[in-house]
Amino acid sequence: MSREEAEKLASTLNYRHEDSTVIAVLQDINTKEVLMVGHMNREAVVKTLTTGYAHFWSLSRRKLWLKGETSGNFQIVEDVRIDCDSDAIVLKVKSVGPVCHTGNWSCFYRGYSDFIK
Amino acid sequence: MSREEAEKLASTLNYRHEDSTVIAVLQDINTKEVLMVGHMNREAVVKTLTTGYAHFWSLSRRKLWLKGETSGNFQIVEDVRIDCDSDAIVLKVKSVGPVCHTGNWSCFYRGYSDFIK
């Protein structure tokens, strides 16, 4: 997407969450599995749309990060969906490797049976 | 799920988002479509798990709400997944009607072509 188009889309979002962000849900475009949830500020949205690689705003480290910059497991964005009040987006992605730092394909690898024993 | 089990699971979550909440992603258990994103405080998590109906904490109205309490479009929770740092959950649901207040099945009914004209 061109910079102009990315800026246009980024301008329509409502960055009302922590540190002026929207919530971003990564979904595997093939399996439709939810892979992770993160936050994006305006800069992360523009970088994601112009490069095609998912970028996030880290709430804990308070910095922009390219998902995969250390692990190599980049998230290639194939489609973007925006919710009704423009404060959350779904990124449909192809992942080049596991999304989770634990090595699991998805961060949501635990079910309630893992907690109720 | 019993109250005891619900409290046990609720105790493992990290309510680090706005108003002491976790992020909750509703996903259609059949189509795997992402339906909406909301926030849950501890009370909303316990009510969701004990009743089987999705409850949220409204950041704008600052109150607990049962999804569907006015529209009748309740979200019946079939499965729960928890992410690696315990601050986000995925609820796999059967919806008895459209999730979005606009009448769309999903809140994520807009794509980037709706913004880039």
Side-chain angles (χ1 to χ4, degrees), chain B residues 4-116:
Chain B
E4 193 189 346
E5 287 175 329
E7 294 280 0
K8 197 168 174 182
L9 196 156
S11 295
T12 67
L13 300 178
N14 181 8
Y15 301 91
R16 76 178 184 105
H17 295 297
E18 295 122 300
D19 294 354
S20 300
T21 58
V22 293
I23 294 171
V25 178
L26 284 193
Q27 185 179 29
D28 189 299
I29 195 163
N30 295 315
T31 65
K32 294 190 166 182
E33 190 178 9
V34 176
L35 301 174
M36 70 167 268
V37 170
H39 285 71
M40 288 185 175
N41 60 7
R42 187 187 162 117
E43 187 185 1
V45 171
V46 172
K47 289 230 175 195
T48 297
L49 296 176
T50 53
T51 65
Y53 291 93
H55 290 68
F56 296 92
W57 174 256
S58 169
L59 295 179
S60 50
R61 293 179 289 135
R62 301 185 72 86
K63 62 181 286 245
L64 188 81
W65 59 293
L66 164 61
K67 175 75 187 161
E69 65 191 359
T70 52
S71 66
N73 297 329
F74 301 103
Q75 303 296 310
I76 302 159
V77 178
E78 301 279 336
D79 194 13
V80 181
R81 309 295 305 172
I82 298 104
D83 81 340
C84 52
D85 57 0
S86 305
D87 67 347
I89 62 178
V90 170
L91 301 175
K92 298 192 182 181
V93 298
K94 277 188 191 160
S95 179
V96 304
V99 169
C100 190
H101 72 286
T102 58
N104 288 280
W105 195 260
S106 163
C107 290
F108 293 91
Y109 60 91
R110 298 179 297 172
Y112 60 76
S113 58
D114 297 311
F115 295 91
I116 310 301

Side-chain angles (χ1 to χ4, degrees), chain A residues 22-72:
Chain A
V22 293
I23 294 171
V25 178
L26 284 194
Q27 184 179 30
D28 189 300
I29 196 163
N30 295 315
T31 66
K32 295 190 167 182
E33 190 178 10
V34 176
L35 301 174
M36 71 166 269
V37 170
H39 285 71
M40 288 185 174
N41 60 6
R42 187 188 163 116
E43 187 185 2
V45 171
V46 171
K47 288 229 177 193
T48 297
L49 297 176
T50 52
T51 65
Y53 291 92
H55 290 68
F56 295 92
W57 173 257
S58 168
L59 296 178
S60 50
R61 293 180 288 133
R62 301 185 72 85
K63 64 182 283 246
L64 189 81
W65 59 293
L66 165 61
K67 175 75 186 158
E69 65 190 359
T70 52
S71 66

